[in-house]
Amino acid sequence: MMTTKQSKINLVAITLVFIVITIGTVNAATVIVDDSGGAAYTTIQQAIDNATAGDTIIVNFGTYTEKIHVNKSLTIISKSGNPGNSIVQAIDSSDSVFHITADEVKINGFHVKDSVERYWEDSVPGIYLDGAHNSVISNNQFSNIYYGIVLESSGNNTLSNNIATYNIGGIHLIDSNNNILDNNTLLNNSENGIFFEHSIYNHLINNTAFNSVDGIRLTKSQNNFLNNNIVSNNSCGIYLETSDENTLDDNIALNNFCGIRLIGSSYCILKNNTASNNNDGIYLQDSCSNNTLINNNASNNHAGISLRVFNKNNTLSYNKANSNNEHGILLFSSNNNILRGNTASNNDIGIFLKYSNRNLLENNTGSNKKYGIYHSDSKYNTLSNNKINGNVFLKLLAFSSLLIVIMFSTSYILWNKIDKKRSILSTSMILLLPLLPTLIGVMHELHLLETIISIHPWNYMLIRILEFGLPAAVIIFYGYTTGDKIFSTLSGVFLIPLFSIYAEVLMEMLNPYFILNLGHWLRWNAIVAIFPFMVLYGLTGYFGARRTKVSLIISICIAIFILVIISGID
């Protein structure tokens, strides 16, 4: 049984606890503010000055023109909870409306407005948390203010269900960490909806940002988590600038110029995001590395997923990039990336590589309008088990048929001047021989040869031999066997110009406007570039047709010289 002494000790302890609770309850007062004079205070600042930490200040309907400094842990709420009924506007448009320097402050249910000037480098906010922590800012509206809410050096705060419209910016975090932004709406702000600078470990959940320059922007901010946000009708929906190790999950970017954009940002994870009806769906630019893009849907944009300029070691897996006007996935000057299991269908080009080397493409699928996989000036890429195609074979068939018709028509015209057999053979050499390097080049550009020829550096020399050496061999053989100096020389002279025209026509899908654009074909820089090869191939045909051992050796040497030059250029 409990002794008498123990009973007294327990009784004293219970009494002390009761006293502490009672004192706390008594101290937590509720204060009323009414600008019409129907309460103890007519201004919010008067109530704050006379309140004790832990008090609740209830603000009646009205318009309050004040500069409010909250330096105590208080709850400040409007009576109705409807921001339209309790308006707080700036007494000085060059200063904030609420300036909070205490922790554990709650502000709820106000319309804060009319603080629009900017001084020094700082934005003038409606509510300014200055080194404040564990506070809750909820259910407020902001308009005609530089920034609706600014947090500077503030952490573990919650901003929820706020609406910021027609300001310079909506919400701005500076050097502020571990905050939660939930269900805020940012509309028609002229700069940013939400803007982070040097801020880490924040959570942005279920926010909506419309009609701003940037819907959500992070600059030099790491380890933030963005989930289920909707960004629409902005210049850029979500923009990460030199911000590493952020996670973007289940966000929706619609009708922006750029849906999701990363510049100089690495080790980020983008998963399950939807980017549609933008100019660029998902865009990585300028040294983005080691990012992971998985299960994103970048469809119905002008361009789907783009990696431009010095992006490396990124992994794109199981993304959908369908029905984009240009490409599904683009790698431009981007090396050592992995594209695995992506679907790129109904684009002009499924996957497009330009100046991009040593990338791995495997198990990608899709069917596209022009090209499946198309590369230009790209080397040492590895393709494995891709099932992604375009309509290149139909184009090649159509174009080849057109050339044959032209060849026979030309041959018929020449029948009266030279014999029938020679006319067909001669026009074939001029018109059809350039089709040989064209087919090889186009098949190489579209990666169609790489299922036959494994990708090693020396095999690019083999492709150049097939592309430019094989036609030279045909010209030499024709000239040596027929002795026809005129057509052998002409075959060499017209080889490269017609090859260039055929290749560009095929790549442009036989566009009539493109074909008839004489200004394009007569560019002086193009003429200067191909003129030496016209001379060299012409000499190859001429010396081959002289049918002597010395001339044959000269012809072969010229052909080898051409290959060396072209390989050096490439």
Side-chain angles (χ1 to χ4, degrees):
M1 292 183 64
M2 186 179 298
T3 64
T4 303
K5 185 176 181 180
Q6 289 174 324
S7 298
K8 290 181 179 179
I9 292 171
N10 290 342
L11 180 62
V12 171
I14 292 169
T15 302
L16 289 173
V17 170
F18 177 77
I19 291 171
V20 170
I21 293 172
T22 303
I23 291 173
T25 304
V26 170
N27 286 343
T30 298
V31 179
I32 307 297
V33 177
D34 191 328
D35 66 339
S36 64
Y41 304 105
T42 57
T43 69
I44 299 170
Q45 188 62 59
Q46 288 175 345
I48 293 171
D49 292 341
N50 291 279
T52 302
D55 285 357
T56 297
I57 297 174
I58 299 176
V59 181
N60 281 343
F61 297 176
T63 298
Y64 300 82
T65 303
E66 302 190 46
K67 171 179 167 56
I68 300 167
H69 182 203
V70 184
N71 57 359
K72 305 167 186 175
S73 298
L74 299 170
T75 297
I76 305 173
I77 59 176
S78 65
K79 181 178 180 180
S80 67
N82 181 357
N85 294 330
S86 297
I87 299 170
V88 185
Q89 61 188 19
I91 195 171
D92 181 355
S93 62
S94 66
D95 209 344
S96 57
V97 179
F98 284 91
H99 184 187
I100 301 171
T101 57
D103 297 339
E104 299 183 6
V105 172
K106 297 181 177 65
I107 296 181
N108 179 282
F110 294 96
H111 183 184
V112 183
K113 66 176 190 173
D114 297 337
S115 177
V116 295
E117 290 186 12
R118 188 173 190 174
Y119 59 93
W120 300 106
E121 294 297 324
D122 300 318
S123 55
V124 178
I127 296 180
Y128 177 29
L129 276 68
D130 183 5
H133 302 81
N134 302 305
S135 296
V136 178
I137 311 298
S138 61
N139 191 35
N140 302 286
Q141 291 183 7
F142 303 88
S143 63
N144 197 33
I145 291 177
Y146 202 90
Y147 265 99
I149 305 172
V150 172
L151 276 64
E152 185 169 9
S153 301
S154 299
N156 298 294
N157 300 288
T158 299
L159 282 60
S160 65
N161 296 300
N162 299 287
I163 299 174
T165 60
Y166 296 102
N167 308 290
I168 304 299
I171 299 174
H172 190 184
L173 272 64
I174 308 167
D175 295 309
S176 295
N177 310 325
N178 297 296
N179 299 285
I180 297 174
L181 281 66
D182 180 26
N183 278 305
N184 299 287
T185 301
L186 304 311
L187 302 176
N188 301 307
N189 299 291
S190 59
E191 287 188 1
N192 305 297
I194 297 174
F195 183 24
F196 285 9
E197 290 184 282
H198 305 281
S199 297
I200 62 174
Y201 297 112
N202 298 287
H203 284 67
L204 282 73
I205 306 169
N206 298 318
N207 299 286
T208 301
F210 284 14
N211 292 324
S212 301
V213 174
D214 299 315
I216 299 173
R217 177 174 178 174
L218 278 62
T219 297
K220 297 181 180 179
S221 298
Q222 285 72 43
N223 296 107
N224 298 286
F225 183 78
L226 284 66
N227 176 250
N228 272 326
N229 301 287
I230 299 175
V231 288
S232 181
N233 295 98
N234 307 285
S235 293
C236 192
I238 298 175
Y239 177 19
L240 274 59
E241 179 186 23
T242 57
S243 296
D244 300 337
E245 300 182 71
N246 295 289
T247 299
L248 281 63
D249 184 14
D250 276 313
N251 300 286
I252 298 174
L254 304 173
N255 300 309
N256 306 282
F257 185 80
C258 186
I260 299 173
R261 183 181 188 186
L262 278 64
I263 291 185
S265 300
S266 301
Y267 297 98
C268 295
I269 298 174
L270 280 65
K271 59 179 181 178
N272 304 316
N273 300 288
T274 298
S276 294
N277 297 311
N278 308 285
N279 187 70
D280 286 286
I282 299 175
Y283 190 178
L284 277 62
Q285 178 184 354
D286 296 340
S287 302
C288 294
S289 63
N290 297 288
N291 297 289
T292 300
L293 281 65
I294 184 168
N295 285 325
N296 300 288
N297 188 349
S299 299
N300 298 299
N301 305 284
H302 185 68
I305 300 174
S306 303
L307 278 65
R308 289 183 179 269
V309 189
F310 308 129
N311 301 291
K312 63 181 182 179
N313 300 319
N314 299 287
T315 300
L316 283 64
S317 300
Y318 309 109
N319 300 287
K320 294 180 180 178
N322 301 324
S323 301
N324 299 289
N325 294 336
E326 287 190 350
H327 55 265
I329 300 174
L330 167 69
L331 272 60
F332 184 92
S333 293
S334 297
N335 304 328
N336 299 299
N337 300 285
I338 297 173
L339 279 63
R340 178 183 293 121
N342 301 288
T343 301
S345 287
N346 201 36
N347 311 286
D348 265 9
I349 303 174
I351 299 176
F352 183 15
L353 281 69
K354 179 76 170 178
Y355 307 124
S356 297
N357 307 321
R358 297 182 176 85
N359 299 285
L360 171 63
L361 284 68
E362 63 179 6
N363 298 317
N364 300 289
T365 61
S367 178
N368 297 277
K369 300 173 185 176
K370 291 185 180 180
Y371 314 114
I373 299 175
Y374 173 35
H375 78 173
S376 178
D377 301 298
S378 300
K379 299 180 180 179
Y380 317 137
N381 297 293
T382 300
L383 281 74
S384 175
N385 198 35
N386 297 287
K387 297 179 180 179
I388 183 166
N389 54 62
N391 295 321
V392 64
F393 290 113
L394 293 176
K395 290 188 298 175
L396 292 176
L397 178 61
F399 191 59
S400 301
S401 300
L402 176 63
L403 287 179
I404 290 172
V405 170
I406 294 173
M407 184 269 294
F408 275 111
S409 301
T410 307
S411 299
Y412 180 77
I413 294 171
L414 294 174
W415 282 0
N416 294 327
K417 300 184 180 299
I418 55 177
D419 62 88
K420 179 178 179 181
K421 181 178 179 181
R422 186 182 170 194
S423 69
I424 294 175
L425 185 60
S426 300
T427 52
S428 297
M429 283 296 298
I430 294 175
L431 294 177
L432 294 187
L433 181 61
L435 191 60
L436 177 61
T438 301
L439 297 180
I440 294 171
V442 169
M443 291 177 71
H444 172 56
E445 292 291 296
L446 301 180
H447 290 275
L448 301 175
L449 290 178
E450 293 176 359
T451 57
I452 305 170
I453 302 174
S454 59
I455 302 173
H456 298 289
W458 67 269
N459 280 331
Y460 285 92
M461 177 58 73
L462 174 59
I463 291 170
R464 289 295 170 253
I465 291 173
L466 291 173
E467 198 170 11
F468 298 102
L470 187 58
V474 173
I475 291 172
I476 294 170
F477 178 79
Y478 171 80
Y480 190 80
T481 55
T482 64
D484 186 349
K485 295 185 182 68
I486 295 177
F487 279 98
S488 182
T489 302
L490 290 176
S491 297
V493 168
F494 287 106
L495 175 68
I496 294 300
L498 290 179
F499 159 69
S500 301
I501 292 172
Y502 293 175
E504 291 205 39
V505 167
L506 280 173
M507 291 302 177
E508 289 292 325
M509 278 292 291
L510 305 179
N511 186 333
Y513 175 80
F514 181 82
I515 296 171
L516 297 175
N517 184 2
L518 295 178
H520 176 80
W521 305 117
L522 299 177
R523 303 187 314 271
W524 70 268
N525 56 333
I527 294 173
V528 169
I530 67 173
F531 182 74
F533 295 101
M534 294 172 65
V535 173
L536 290 172
Y537 273 109
L539 290 173
T540 300
Y542 172 77
F543 281 106
R546 293 190 64 178
R547 306 176 78 173
T548 66
K549 289 183 179 179
V550 174
S551 64
L552 180 61
I553 292 172
I554 293 174
S555 182
I556 293 172
C557 288
I558 294 173
I560 294 172
F561 180 65
I562 292 171
L563 285 175
V564 171
I565 293 175
I566 290 176
S567 299
I569 292 173
D570 186 56

